Amino acid sequence: MLVATDLTKEYQSGTSRLAVLKHVSFSIPQGTFVAIVGPSGSGKTTLLGLLAGLDTPSAGTVSLDGVDLTRLTEDERARLRGEKVGFIFQSFQLIPTLTAIENVQVPLELRGEPGAAQRARELMDRVGLADRIDHFPAQLSGGEQQRVAIARAFSNAPRILFADEPTGNLDGETGERIVVLLEELNRESGSTIVLVTHEMYLAERAGRIIRLKDGEVVEDRTL
């Protein structure tokens, strides 16, 4: 369960305070697929950062599996992310000097997990890239790089996966395949998926849509 309570985020702008998020509250049950939508500047990415514990709110709380992230130190939040959270970014964020399978394997090795190589190979096969494991990111298409990023994100079997505009750099057909893959992994793994997107046709693939405007929730509906 992910719970946001009265989340507010402000930044200093000259002599005044700029509110990017204003009193945002909702709860997301485990295993659900939720899309956060809204125009540019509505606070989507800021909200995602707060939910993931990458940033701290000016006011309010975020609770993940009963743990209040706002009460944790930066190191404690990082440890919790390593144990329970996965990320997919629009820009893929792959290490260019590592092969595809090495990009997936490194996080497993850093956590000291046994059988890291086999787990990475299984994930690459799951995302349909068993024949591309030894290719470097520059040798892969955008869609293939994003699938490597998804395999890496699922390497720690996360309780919750945050995806920030994961199809933004992809054509429509490839983006559709990425969302289908996320749907499949959501069903099979039971991971909660929180997808930030400005594409409504993709958001409507989720089971719930939370819409932001000017830093506030203006719609929260189940599909």
Side-chain angles (χ1 to χ4, degrees), residues 185-196:
L185 291 170
N186 167 246
R187 287 195 300 269
E188 294 170 10
S189 70
S191 297
T192 301
I193 296 181
V194 179
L195 167 70
V196 165

Side-chain angles (χ1 to χ4, degrees), residues 104-150:
V104 177
Q105 190 171 329
V106 162
L108 294 165
E109 292 177 337
L110 290 175
R111 287 192 294 272
E113 294 192 15
Q118 180 59 30
R119 170 68 172 158
R121 190 174 295 274
E122 290 171 356
L123 285 164
M124 288 293 290
D125 181 59
R126 181 65 193 83
V127 299
L129 293 176
D131 60 341
R132 308 286 276 171
I133 61 174
D134 294 323
H135 289 67
F136 290 93
Q139 297 172 308
L140 302 173
S141 69
E144 288 170 335
Q145 290 185 64
Q146 193 60 292
R147 280 188 279 164
V148 173
I150 290 172

Side-chain angles (χ1 to χ4, degrees), residues 52-53 72-84:
L72 302 182
T73 66
E74 187 172 343
D75 287 345
E76 288 170 336
R77 290 198 306 273
R79 191 176 307 116
L80 183 141
R81 286 196 300 271
E83 294 171 353
K84 296 189 176 185

Side-chain angles (χ1 to χ4, degrees), residues 83-101:
E83 294 171 353
K84 296 189 176 185
V85 176
F87 295 92
I88 304 171
F89 301 96
Q90 179 178 342
S91 56
F92 316 137
Q93 303 265 341
L94 300 179
I95 301 172
T97 55
L98 298 182
T99 63
I101 195 168

